Amino acid sequence: MIFMISGHPLLPSSESSSVVVHRRGTPGRNLHSFRCVSHNVSFSSSTYNETQTVLKDHQEEEQEETAVSAGATTRCPLEPLTSIARSLSVVTSKHLYSADSRSSQQQSLECPTKDRGSRVLWGSMELHNNSNNCTSFDISRGSSLVQDKLSKSQRLRNKSLDFDDNLLYAENPRLIYINDPRRTNDKYEFTGNEICTSKYTLITFLPKNLFIQFHRVAYLYFLAIAALNQLPPLAVFGRTVSLFPLLFVLCVTAIKDGYEDWRRHRSDRNENNREALVLQLGEFQMKKWKKIRAGEVVKIHADETIPCDMVLLGTSDPSGLAYIQTMNLDGESNLKTRYARQETASSVFEGCNVSGLIRCEQPNRNIYEFTANMEFNGQKFPLSQSNIVLRGCQLKNTDWIVGVVVYAGQETKAMLNSAVSPSKRSKLESYMNRETLWLSVFLLVMCSVVALGMGLWLHRHDEELDTLPYYRKRYLTKGKEKGKPYRYYGIPMETFFSFLSSIIVFQIMIPISLYITMELVRLGQSYFMIEDKHLYDSSSDSRFQCRSLNINEDLGQIRYVFSDKTGTLTENKMEFRKASVNGKNYESSDLTDDSLQDHDIGASAVIRSRWKLKSKISLDPKLMCLLHKDLAGDERIAAHEFFLTLAACNTVIPIVSQDPSSCDRRNGSLEDVEAVDYQGESPDEQALVSAASAYGYTLFERTSGHIVIDINGNKLRLDVLGLHEFDSVRKRMSVVIRFPNNTVKVLVKGADNTMFSILSGDSERDDRIRRATQNHLTEYSSEGLRTLVVAARDLTDAELELWQCRYEDASTSLIDRAAKLRQAAALVECNLNLLGATAIEDRLQDGVPEAIEALRQAGIKVWVLTGDKQETAISIGLSCKLLTADMQQIIINGNSEEECRNLLADAKIRHGVQSANRKKRKLKRKNSSESRYLEIADSAKASSVLQLCAGKEEPAACAPLALIIDGNSLVYILEKDLESELFDIATSCRVVLCCRVAPLQKAGIVDLIKSRTDDMTLAIGDGANDVSMIQMADVGVGICGQEGRQAVMASDFAMGQFRFLKRLLLVHGHWNYQRVGYLVLYNFYRNAVFVLMLFWYILCTAFSTTSALTDWSSVFYSVIYTSVPTIVVGILDKDLSHRTLLQYPKLYGAGHRHEAYNLQLFWITMIDTLWQSLVLFYIPLFTYKESSIDIWSMGSLWTLAVVVLVNMHLAMDIRRWVFVTHAAVWGSIIITYACMVVLDSIPIFPNYWTIYHLAKSPTYWLTILLITIVALLPRFLFKVVHQIFWPSDIQIAREAEILRKVPSTSRPEPDEGCS
């Protein structure tokens, strides 16, 4: 998003609706844009580093200032310009917003005659101080650099590597010979237009897929286990059986990856075989996309897709104008304008053959920049981004276009930007790895015990081995084998082999099935989140999206929410509210142009109006009256120029259509009213142009070189000589126009902090208007309105010639074009006459205050990071209940490192802020000494339930703090080792509000918390300027808003409104965290109890690593017998209903306290597992001690008993029983028994027919029942005692649900399908 004052998106957030303008007197030239593209756009576009540009700009300005002072220039002769139509294309840019400078020094590029202060650059941010040193601080490499935590020196030195080649492309340009692909490709052999998005081929699929899968260390572990089992001395299981679990996992993943890649191949094939018209042998013929080459001329018709990156040569419009839609590229639905050069457009339109040479930059990922030159018919002129159409865009509202291919296939900007968002990993999964390490230690200890026991046993019975049943040294059978060694390798080797065999037997101690189970559970959770009707936004018809499946549970542990303001907390639907014109304030009333008929003022003007806007605009009758007075006073002229500037200084596209349904019948007129709609990527610009139209200044035509404005029925054609786009250094935009009487004016609008420094102040009247306007701006900002300052002045012939010369030189420059264009703009953007200011309202979204309050009650801190003015941000903060009247505000507005240091130190002393280490120790003591309970309303409980109110927060000893800091201060704080001071203050505050921050500063703030705490962070935004913040945070949420889909495409989750964040975190986040936390612990328990049962058996069999269970039973235990109930419970179980979770936001604190999964719970689970394994092993052993039952029968008993036990253990913890849950838990036991019957019916297995003998015995079934009761009794007693004497918030709330007779399981809920 491009910000003006208060962060207004003055220009589009993506590719611009570019403007083609004419200048009289010279052949066509293109105006290049100024760009600083964030590295973290949705397609991972890189950041353009302007540091060197600004430094060169600074040096060149000093040289040029001398020439200006002398009244002459040596760069070009100032000759009179002829009146040949000249096409100047401009493109809007995607800039990092720059903090304002409060220094009294004026910018050197604002007016070349002013004194200069040195500049400090932070992510395309220019600041000023009084020193003479010019220092550059560059961190504009995107969030990846912040994430890497580069040292300060590295940050200062590092450059934007992605675009370095672009800056140097003039040394090695790409040569494109128009309509001569053979010559174009002879020397360089550019890539063809065939694309390939697939990962594999038939040959590379198996090795490449296996290589990727084995990046998981657990897979390597199980591969090693399977390999060990293939060795004869270690073959505990059957060799085939031991491979089954790993092969199953690998095959399932490979099938999934193969299917996805097959779809990519199919998509690529369909895309490559599409056809387009290509100029061949003098006529356009159909040709497959994959065969198109650089240098060929392609013709595209309306609604067709652009096959490759092409420079426009001509369009169906004689002026070379074309409209494109870039939704496939950046997600934005607004139309953009692109232009063919006037020189080539006329030739193409007349049907002439086109030939020439294009020198352009090498392929790069920057979709918002294109720098090139074209030689055509002996002329050489520049090309910019407004002259190129990119692959994937669609042609709209234009019959046809003709262009020459400059980039094809994998070298197109769309393909270069097809990178995915950085992968994120769940925090709970990282904790799980810690516990997995402990399980590995247990595994090694058990294996060491078995190996040591084996060695001692062999040593003790060394002389008896040939007579004992467990082991023999030699064959005793008769024949040639008699007396030969029998698999005996000596005590040391036998001990070692016993250790390795034990690892094989106990291998499932590390649960390989847990990885698949977690993926399936997360997939199921995502399905129910997507299907939740409460997360559907009907206004934008957008459903909830899960774009990342591996961090669902992190939604239940969020501690910090970093939010953008514009479009996230607000609607980003701008409405023109107030205006300050010539020092007087005008406010919109409820009157519209129709209702003005009842007023004498402006009635005649309304009668003449033929334009109908898409939306009604509220008008000020006094201002309407002023505009339609037949006066020539200063006030009338200022108002006229004010609205003329609003109508002319923009990049919107007017779309005019007849509206027969609305006829102007006023005073008997039956004339059709024409409807005008403005297409623009910036809602601010649309609001300003619409307001100008409502007041009688309607922009209704924009061509390649002029605009036409209807002023109360009188059409005024203005030639556009040049347009200087908004950029983050100047923070303003300007347009140079020629009136029909040959008067030339420059019209400017921009942020107040840059505009007031370039105003003329020669008279007392100017000072009076300036003071009045500043007061109005302060008033507007305090009301939360977004403000802009409007100014203009006439240009003399000498100033015009000088500017045209400098402008022409800048627009044709191949190196540092953006810096030179800023210098040219500085020639005319000075000594301006102040016309007034505008105030636009961006209303809050529905439910924002309630959502923020709920998040605050849940213990989540909400920080707002915005590009708006400080006053505007504070006003919005108050209206959305982020800020409250009782808060003490700490405001940090520093203009130097020393000042920022002093402000931070004073704030710490004044408010008693402690350092992070002391704060952490104090918090730990507080948490250990406090018992927090939930307060339940009296009406919700029976009288028998004690009302526990300790959950109420104690009244604070002092008022809560709110930190308000601007981007200017963050430049020094984030780069000058003041981060720790800022961190101490910020974490002590309840609210943090960062104003006028650049996109990379947003990422820096997120990293400040993420790198210094273990707390989970969530970033939410709607625009491209939020991408770096979204990707930096642990969880990124994109809003499907008005600014395109860059934020959505870079996010982990996406939704339509900010208010949905309340339900996403408090309900789904809580459920997901509780489910996955329990899932991990249960999987550890389930596998450990099985392994410990085997361990006790081995201790009783002379450490021989034999097993009473069949190989298939051991394999099926995790894969079939016990897996389904785990998955079902992980997807469907609910501890509380959604109503309770929303009613009591403090319940979310369970995730902050890690109640569902922590190290203490892990050890308690392991102790319980140890007890259950002992019961499981020894009760059957003692029961059948005196019987003649064989070992395989005991194995069958243990197999069924352990499955029944772990499923009953699971059933004890299920809080929500539905049909699917019953089917999974009890069905699992039935399936286990059925599988045992099948396996015991196969004659070749040693356990043949054992289950049939056991099932007849009552002792068998009583033993299983006794095992279950005795094993689970301690767990049951522990849960009862803990719930009675030390209940948690969740248990209290659940009790309240039951006593209200509306438990979540007793009747269907609205979200029953939205688990």
Side-chain angles (χ1 to χ4, degrees):
M1 180 195 296
I2 298 176
F3 288 95
M4 275 296 238
I5 186 167
S6 307
H8 322 81
L10 176 61
L11 292 183
S13 62
S14 171
E15 292 183 300
S16 118
S17 301
S18 307
V19 184
V20 174
V21 291
H22 282 180
R23 186 193 338 171
R24 299 182 181 180
T26 59
R29 297 287 183 189
N30 278 67
L31 171 61
H32 196 275
S33 62
F34 335 117
R35 301 212 178 275
C36 182
V37 183
S38 171
H39 174 80
N40 304 312
V41 295
S42 57
F43 289 107
S44 302
S45 332
S46 303
T47 303
Y48 181 79
N49 186 345
E50 290 188 324
T51 305
Q52 294 177 334
T53 299
V54 173
L55 294 177
K56 293 179 181 178
D57 175 11
H58 183 68
Q59 296 168 358
E60 291 174 0
E61 279 183 33
E62 294 184 355
Q63 299 172 0
E64 292 167 358
E65 185 182 27
T66 305
V68 172
S69 302
T73 176
T74 59
R75 302 183 70 168
C76 65
L78 298 178
E79 300 175 355
L81 302 176
T82 60
S83 57
I84 301 175
R86 183 175 185 226
S87 174
L88 299 169
S89 328
V90 249
V91 281
T92 8
S93 60
K94 178 173 279 285
H95 290 284
L96 299 179
Y97 172 74
S98 61
D100 66 308
S101 170
R102 305 185 186 275
S103 172
S104 59
Q105 287 288 81
Q106 294 182 329
Q107 297 187 12
S108 58
L109 53 79
E110 289 167 349
C111 184
T113 60
K114 303 283 183 183
D115 293 334
R116 287 172 181 77
S118 62
R119 287 165 290 189
V120 179
L121 194 71
W122 194 99
S124 285
M125 178 172 309
E126 190 169 76
L127 305 172
H128 308 271
N129 54 39
N130 295 325
S131 67
N132 295 321
N133 298 326
C134 185
T135 310
S136 173
F137 298 99
D138 177 23
I139 64 164
S140 57
R141 271 81 57 199
S143 65
S144 59
L145 296 188
V146 184
Q147 210 161 9
D148 291 339
K149 292 298 292 177
L150 290 175
S151 64
K152 303 295 180 183
S153 58
Q154 285 175 313
R155 287 187 185 174
L156 298 177
R157 293 193 304 267
N158 202 4
K159 302 299 176 186
S160 179
L161 303 179
D162 292 291
F163 287 164
D164 278 352
D165 291 341
N166 305 341
L167 297 175
L168 302 175
Y169 84 93
E171 300 174 4
N172 183 28
R174 167 174 283 214
L175 303 180
I176 304 294
Y177 295 91
I178 302 174
N179 199 24
D180 192 351
R182 178 175 298 179
R183 187 178 178 188
T184 299
N185 291 274
D186 269 349
K187 182 177 180 181
Y188 298 101
E189 197 61 40
F190 301 133
T191 61
N193 199 41
E194 185 174 6
I195 64 167
C196 179
T197 60
S198 57
K199 291 182 180 179
Y200 313 108
T201 65
L202 286 175
I203 298 176
T204 63
F205 175 74
L206 190 60
K208 193 172 182 180
N209 185 260
L210 289 176
F211 176 77
I212 292 174
Q213 288 200 60
F214 278 108
H215 273 67
R216 279 189 170 178
V217 180
Y219 286 11
L220 293 174
Y221 165 78
F222 287 101
L223 178 64
I225 295 296
L228 287 176
N229 201 68
Q230 305 308 305
L231 302 177
L234 307 177
V236 178
F237 299 130
R239 296 182 180 180
T240 305
V241 175
S242 64
L243 292 172
F244 180 79
L246 182 62
L247 289 176
F248 176 79
V249 174
L250 293 176
C251 288
V252 169
T253 307
I255 291 172
K256 177 182 72 72
D257 293 343
Y259 174 71
E260 291 177 353
D261 205 59
W262 173 79
R263 293 179 61 186
R264 294 191 195 101
H265 275 286
R266 184 180 61 181
S267 175
D268 291 346
R269 185 168 58 251
N270 294 338
E271 187 83 356
N272 291 326
N273 289 327
R274 296 172 70 175
E275 294 184 335
L277 289 170
V278 178
L279 186 61
Q280 302 176 80
L281 303 176
E283 60 181 15
F284 286 101
Q285 301 176 11
M286 298 302 292
K287 191 175 186 179
K288 289 185 177 180
W289 279 20
K290 64 182 179 182
K291 296 183 179 180
I292 297 176
R293 297 188 299 165
E296 290 187 317
V297 175
V298 180
K299 187 174 186 179
I300 305 297
H301 288 281
D303 297 323
E304 290 184 351
T305 303
I306 313 298
C308 40
D309 295 353
M310 307 188 307
V311 169
L312 282 180
L313 299 176
T315 73
S316 57
D317 186 279
S319 61
L321 176 66
Y323 296 98
I324 63 167
Q325 188 179 65
T326 60
M327 181 175 289
N328 292 336
L329 192 62
D330 59 14
E332 298 185 7
S333 58
N334 292 325
L335 298 182
K336 285 86 175 174
T337 49
R338 293 295 180 266
Y339 307 95
R341 291 292 310 202
Q342 204 60 35
E343 297 83 345
T344 61
S346 57
S347 299
V348 170
F349 198 79
E350 294 168 2
C352 302
N353 287 330
V354 180
S355 61
L357 173 64
I358 295 177
R359 289 185 175 88
C360 62
E361 59 192 349
Q362 295 297 326
N364 61 77
R365 299 189 302 171
N366 189 353
I367 62 176
Y368 308 108
E369 186 70 55
F370 177 68
T371 307
N373 272 339
M374 179 187 287
E375 293 181 6
F376 181 78
N377 289 345
Q379 300 181 53
K380 182 178 180 181
F381 42 83
L383 300 173
S384 69
Q385 187 250 1
S386 59
N387 305 120
I388 188 173
V389 289
L390 304 182
R391 180 188 180 112
C393 300
Q394 283 189 320
L395 184 64
K396 297 290 184 181
N397 294 0
T398 308
D399 293 336
W400 54 264
I401 61 173
V402 173
V404 58
V405 179
V406 289
Y407 306 123
Q410 299 294 137
E411 293 180 342
T412 58
K413 293 180 182 290
M415 296 305 299
L416 292 174
N417 277 286
S418 59
V420 296
S421 300
S423 59
K424 297 178 181 179
R425 195 170 132 196
S426 165
K427 188 174 184 179
L428 193 144
E429 192 171 335
S430 64
Y431 290 157
M432 184 184 77
N433 291 338
R434 176 190 62 193
E435 272 67 77
T436 303
L437 183 62
W438 277 113
L439 292 176
S440 302
V441 172
F442 297 158
L443 176 64
L444 294 177
V445 169
M446 289 190 295
C447 293
S448 300
V449 169
V450 172
L452 182 61
M454 168 64 76
L456 294 176
W457 190 90
L458 289 175
H459 184 268
R460 178 178 298 178
H461 301 88
D462 185 50
E463 302 298 330
E464 310 170 44
L465 292 182
D466 286 333
T467 59
L468 291 175
Y470 303 111
Y471 231 101
R472 290 190 176 88
K473 289 184 181 181
R474 298 173 180 83
Y475 282 99
L476 299 179
T477 56
K478 296 181 180 179
K480 61 179 181 179
E481 301 290 341
K482 184 177 181 179
K484 290 187 176 180
Y486 176 79
R487 283 191 180 181
Y488 187 72
Y489 303 94
I491 292 180
M493 290 304 296
E494 290 292 345
T495 302
F496 178 67
F497 288 149
S498 177
F499 179 83
L500 297 180
S501 299
S502 301
I503 293 179
I504 297 173
V505 174
F506 303 145
Q507 59 180 295
I508 65 169
M509 191 71 160
I510 312 297
I512 187 173
S513 61
L514 178 57
Y515 291 96
I516 298 179
T517 303
M518 288 185 71
E519 293 299 324
L520 294 175
V521 166
R522 286 166 174 165
L523 184 63
Q525 292 173 352
S526 299
Y527 169 78
F528 285 111
M529 285 192 289
I530 293 170
E531 294 297 319
D532 189 347
K533 63 183 180 182
H534 296 93
L535 297 181
Y536 170 75
D537 181 30
S538 57
S539 60
S540 61
D541 191 28
S542 57
R543 300 168 63 186
F544 184 80
Q545 300 177 39
C546 285
R547 303 176 60 84
S548 178
L549 298 180
N550 57 341
I551 56 173
N552 290 354
E553 59 272 19
D554 284 348
L555 293 171
Q557 299 175 275
I558 301 299
R559 178 73 77 169
Y560 289 90
V561 169
F562 300 91
S563 174
D564 178 39
K565 185 187 76 66
T566 305
T568 304
L569 300 179
T570 60
E571 293 181 346
N572 201 18
K573 295 179 180 178
M574 311 302 174
E575 295 184 9
F576 187 86
R577 287 299 182 194
K578 297 184 179 182
S580 173
V581 181
N582 201 39
K584 291 186 178 181
N585 180 43
Y586 297 94
E587 299 185 13
S588 299
S589 65
D590 294 334
L591 298 176
T592 62
D593 53 359
D594 294 326
S595 60
L596 284 174
Q597 292 299 311
D598 300 331
H599 295 72
D600 294 335
I601 52 173
S604 61
V606 175
I607 292 174
R608 294 194 302 269
S609 176
R610 298 188 306 108
W611 303 103
K612 179 184 177 182
L613 292 171
K614 189 176 181 180
S615 59
K616 295 293 183 182
I617 306 293
S618 299
L619 306 176
D620 188 312
K622 295 180 180 179
L623 186 54
M624 285 293 292
C625 181
L626 174 64
L627 288 170
H628 298 97
K629 283 181 179 179
D630 294 330
L631 301 176
D634 292 339
E635 190 174 357
R636 169 69 176 83
I637 294 174
H640 169 73
E641 292 190 351
F642 177 85
F643 283 102
L644 190 65
T645 303
L646 296 187
C649 188
N650 56 74
T651 59
V652 300
I653 307 167
I655 298 179
V656 179
S657 60
Q658 294 294 330
D659 189 8
S661 62
S662 299
C663 295
D664 191 357
R665 293 186 171 87
R666 290 168 292 200
N667 293 351
S669 174
L670 296 177
E671 182 182 4
D672 287 347
V673 175
E674 291 184 283
V676 60
D677 185 24
Y678 294 110
Q679 285 281 344
E681 299 159 53
S682 166
D684 292 75
E685 283 199 330
Q686 291 177 350
L688 293 176
V689 178
S690 297
S693 178
Y695 279 98
Y697 291 73
T698 302
L699 172 68
F700 69 92
E701 181 180 330
R702 183 185 295 278
T703 67
S704 57
H706 69 270
I707 58 176
V708 183
I709 300 175
D710 184 328
I711 303 179
N712 300 322
N714 300 317
K715 295 184 179 179
L716 176 65
R717 174 186 167 120
L718 301 173
D719 292 327
V720 182
L721 307 182
L723 191 150
H724 290 283
E725 292 285 352
F726 178 89
D727 66 58
S728 59
V729 179
R730 293 162 45 249
K731 289 187 285 186
R732 55 183 176 267
M733 73 176 298
S734 60
V735 59
V736 180
I737 59 174
R738 188 191 300 275
F739 287 79
N741 61 0
N742 281 335
T743 302
V744 179
K745 285 182 176 290
V746 57
L747 309 178
V748 188
K749 66 180 181 183
D752 59 351
N753 61 310
T754 60
M755 291 293 291
F756 281 118
S757 62
I758 56 175
L759 298 178
S760 63
D762 299 334
S763 65
E764 182 179 345
R765 176 179 173 278
D766 292 338
D767 292 337
R768 178 182 57 80
I769 295 176
R770 175 185 296 197
R771 288 194 299 272
T773 305
Q774 287 177 326
N775 292 335
H776 293 155
L777 285 169
T778 303
E779 177 187 343
Y780 300 159
S781 298
S782 64
E783 297 175 12
L785 302 178
R786 302 157 64 83
T787 58
L788 281 176
V789 174
V790 180
R793 78 178 177 99
D794 293 332
L795 295 181
T796 64
D797 291 341
E799 289 174 326
L800 177 61
E801 289 177 350
L802 176 60
W803 170 79
Q804 283 181 320
C805 176
R806 196 70 61 85
Y807 181 72
E808 179 180 344
D809 177 69
S811 63
T812 56
S813 174
L814 296 179
I815 301 296
D816 296 338
R817 183 184 293 184
K820 292 178 181 179
L821 284 171
R822 284 199 295 270
Q823 295 173 16
L827 296 176
V828 293
E829 294 176 352
C830 58
N831 298 321
L832 301 175
N833 298 319
L834 178 62
L835 300 177
T838 63
I840 301 175
E841 180 185 18
D842 187 9
R843 293 182 299 181
L844 281 177
Q845 294 180 9
D846 293 337
V848 167
E850 294 79 7
I852 290 178
E853 182 60 28
L855 294 178
R856 179 180 292 163
Q857 291 181 24
I860 300 173
K861 291 187 176 182
V862 180
W863 292 18
V864 174
L865 315 179
T866 178
D868 275 354
K869 284 183 63 177
Q870 185 169 291
E871 295 83 359
T872 305
I874 291 175
S875 176
I876 294 293
L878 290 169
S879 62
C880 69
K881 296 184 180 179
L882 184 69
L883 297 174
T884 56
D886 63 328
M887 288 184 176
Q888 292 188 22
Q889 296 182 4
I890 304 175
I891 298 179
I892 307 294
N893 292 335
N895 291 313
S896 66
E897 177 189 352
E898 190 61 30
E899 186 177 355
C900 291
R901 190 185 302 275
N902 294 336
L903 288 171
L904 291 172
D906 292 343
K908 289 185 69 173
I909 295 172
R910 186 183 308 114
H911 299 283
V913 175
Q914 299 177 348
S915 65
N917 292 332
R918 291 184 60 188
K919 197 184 306 177
K920 188 179 295 184
R921 290 195 297 269
K922 183 177 179 181
L923 182 63
K924 188 177 293 185
R925 290 196 302 270
K926 181 179 178 181
N927 289 340
S928 62
S929 62
E930 285 187 353
S931 296
R932 301 184 59 183
Y933 296 98
L934 184 71
E935 183 181 9
I936 304 295
D938 294 345
S939 59
K941 298 182 289 184
S943 58
S944 60
V945 178
L946 181 63
Q947 299 177 26
L948 300 171
C949 302
K952 232 182 226 182
E953 292 184 2
E954 294 294 327
C958 58
L961 302 178
L963 173 64
I964 300 167
I965 187 170
D966 66 351
N968 193 8
S969 304
L970 289 174
V971 173
Y972 304 103
I973 293 173
L974 296 180
E975 285 293 328
K976 294 291 184 179
D977 299 320
L978 298 176
E979 289 185 350
S980 59
E981 305 294 321
L982 175 63
F983 173 78
D984 292 339
I985 294 177
T987 52
S988 300
C989 295
R990 182 177 294 181
V991 172
V992 175
L993 195 57
C994 299
C995 313
R996 297 200 165 194
V997 289
L1000 290 180
Q1001 285 180 318
K1002 292 183 178 184
I1005 292 295
V1006 175
D1007 185 59
L1008 179 71
I1009 297 299
K1010 186 178 175 182
S1011 61
R1012 292 171 180 264
T1013 69
D1014 292 330
D1015 296 327
M1016 298 295 295
T1017 59
L1018 179 147
I1020 180 170
D1022 72 316
N1025 63 320
D1026 302 315
V1027 168
S1028 56
M1029 172 178 71
I1030 287 172
Q1031 292 184 336
M1032 173 61 71
D1034 295 302
V1035 178
V1037 178
I1039 298 290
C1040 308
Q1042 305 293 317
E1043 299 185 32
R1045 295 177 56 84
Q1046 295 97 324
V1048 170
M1049 290 185 284
S1051 65
D1052 305 303
F1053 304 94
M1055 54 192 183
Q1057 296 281 330
F1058 178 87
R1059 59 187 168 91
F1060 296 152
L1061 188 64
K1062 173 183 174 182
R1063 184 177 182 86
L1064 178 64
L1065 297 184
L1066 302 189
V1067 178
H1068 290 288
H1070 174 86
W1071 284 340
N1072 293 343
Y1073 169 69
Q1074 295 288 330
R1075 293 162 176 166
V1076 176
Y1078 180 79
L1079 170 74
V1080 174
L1081 284 175
Y1082 177 76
N1083 271 269
F1084 286 156
Y1085 150 78
R1086 185 190 65 184
N1087 286 25
V1089 73
F1090 185 81
V1091 168
L1092 286 172
M1093 181 188 69
L1094 299 178
F1095 176 69
W1096 306 133
Y1097 176 79
I1098 288 175
L1099 295 184
C1100 295
T1101 55
F1103 311 97
S1104 59
T1105 65
T1106 58
S1107 176
L1109 278 63
T1110 63
D1111 297 345
W1112 288 107
S1113 294
S1114 299
V1115 171
F1116 287 166
Y1117 175 73
S1118 295
V1119 178
I1120 296 176
Y1121 294 168
T1122 59
S1123 59
V1124 176
T1126 312
I1127 296 171
V1128 171
V1129 172
I1131 295 174
L1132 297 178
D1133 195 33
K1134 294 180 183 178
D1135 55 354
L1136 292 167
S1137 68
H1138 73 110
R1139 294 189 191 91
T1140 302
L1141 292 171
L1142 292 175
Q1143 185 178 359
Y1144 303 108
K1146 287 182 182 179
L1147 291 168
Y1148 186 81
H1152 295 156
R1153 297 187 293 273
H1154 307 289
E1155 289 184 3
Y1157 186 88
N1158 54 59
L1159 193 59
Q1160 182 182 6
L1161 274 178
F1162 171 76
W1163 288 114
I1164 292 174
T1165 302
M1166 288 299 103
I1167 293 172
D1168 185 37
T1169 301
L1170 183 65
W1171 163 256
Q1172 292 190 30
S1173 66
L1174 289 169
V1175 171
L1176 184 63
F1177 175 74
Y1178 281 104
I1179 284 184
L1181 190 65
F1182 290 131
T1183 301
Y1184 290 96
K1185 186 176 183 180
E1186 303 299 331
S1187 69
S1188 60
I1189 191 173
D1190 67 304
I1191 193 62
W1192 301 114
S1193 297
M1194 286 292 289
S1196 296
L1197 172 60
W1198 277 324
T1199 300
L1200 187 59
V1202 71
V1203 172
V1204 172
L1205 176 62
V1206 297
N1207 277 283
M1208 291 302 298
H1209 178 107
L1210 180 65
M1212 283 179 60
D1213 295 328
I1214 294 177
R1215 275 73 61 92
R1216 177 182 180 242
W1217 285 93
V1218 293
F1219 173 77
V1220 178
T1221 312
H1222 281 290
V1225 174
W1226 313 124
S1228 176
I1229 297 175
I1230 296 173
I1231 289 174
T1232 301
Y1233 191 80
C1235 288
M1236 291 177 62
V1237 170
V1238 172
L1239 291 175
D1240 287 4
S1241 301
I1242 301 175
I1244 61 173
F1245 286 170
N1247 54 314
Y1248 177 62
W1249 217 250
T1250 55
I1251 192 67
Y1252 296 97
H1253 295 295
L1254 287 173
K1256 299 175 184 178
S1257 169
T1259 306
Y1260 175 78
W1261 299 107
L1262 290 174
T1263 303
I1264 294 176
L1265 178 63
L1266 182 63
I1267 290 173
T1268 304
I1269 294 174
V1270 175
L1272 296 179
L1273 184 61
R1275 178 177 181 79
F1276 175 76
L1277 295 175
F1278 178 83
K1279 288 170 69 73
V1280 170
V1281 172
H1282 192 275
Q1283 186 161 340
I1284 292 176
F1285 295 103
W1286 301 284
S1288 66
D1289 290 352
I1290 295 175
Q1291 290 166 344
I1292 295 174
R1294 184 165 178 78
E1295 231 176 288
E1297 277 190 353
I1298 297 172
L1299 294 173
R1300 283 197 301 264
K1301 304 299 182 184
V1302 285
S1304 58
T1305 57
S1306 64
R1307 67 182 186 187
E1309 297 180 4
D1311 72 326
E1312 199 69 14
C1314 303
S1315 177

